[in-house]
Amino acid sequence: MKLRGMTLACAGAMAIMMGCGGDSGNANADVMCGGDAVGTWKITSSNLTVDVPMLDPDCPTATGTSSDIKASGTLMYNADLSYTDNVAISGNVTLNLPSSCLPVGMSCATFGADLVTAGIFKTAACVVAEAGCTCMLAFPDQLSNDVGTYTTTTAAGVLTETSTGDTTGSGLAYCVKGTTLTESPSTVSMSAFLGSITLAKQ
C-alpha cells in the first residue's frame, strides 16, 4: 500500500508511503506469506508509527515522537497489474529539528508555514528551541490518490508498487489469508512509516 513516500525534503503532494520504510526486521515475519492480492480492499485497522528521522532523510539527527497515527481508505489491485490507492493518514508528530538542517536564512515559523503550504501537514506550529526548532505537526487526514503498476513475489511475500511516472518501485511485505490482507514495510523500502495495516476484501 502506498502511503506515498513522504519526506519533508519533498515538499510536494501528500506523499505518505508505508511501503517505503526503514528496515523493520523480524517484525514483518508474520505477514510475509504472499497470496493473491487482486481485488478491492478496505483498511479496517492500522498499527503505525512515524520513523521521525525519515521525515527528512537529509537530516538524520532529527528526533521526535508520533501519536495517534491511523490510516483509512481503500486499495485496488487489478488483474492487469495496475493499482489505485485512496488512502488518508491522520495523527500528530513532534519534530525536533537541529538548526543545521534548516535552509539558510529560514526561521522556524517560516519552515512550519512552508510545510502547510506544501500540503504535507494540516497544521505545523514551529518554535525556536535550544538546538533549532521544535514543531508540532498534524497530518492533513485527506485522501492521497495514487495509481501505477505492481508486481508480487509470492514466495518472498513481497508486493512492489511503482507509481505512474516513477522508475523505482517500493516494496511491501504482504499476506493474504482468506478475505484479509496485511501489509507492512519491507526491509527493502524506505519510508517515514513503520508498522502494519489490515484490510478486508470488499
Side-chain angles (χ1 to χ4, degrees), residues 8 56-63 95-108 111 128-134:
L8 299 186
D56 189 350
D58 294 327
C59 185
T61 55
T63 62
L95 174 68
N96 302 309
L97 193 71
S99 57
S100 60
C101 293
L102 285 175
V104 176
M106 179 174 284
S107 68
C108 294
F111 177 77
V128 176
E130 182 177 350
C133 302
T134 294

Side-chain angles (χ1 to χ4, degrees), residues 159-174:
L159 185 152
T160 301
E161 296 180 352
T162 304
S163 296
T164 299
D166 288 352
T167 57
T168 303
S170 300
L172 294 162
Y174 83 107

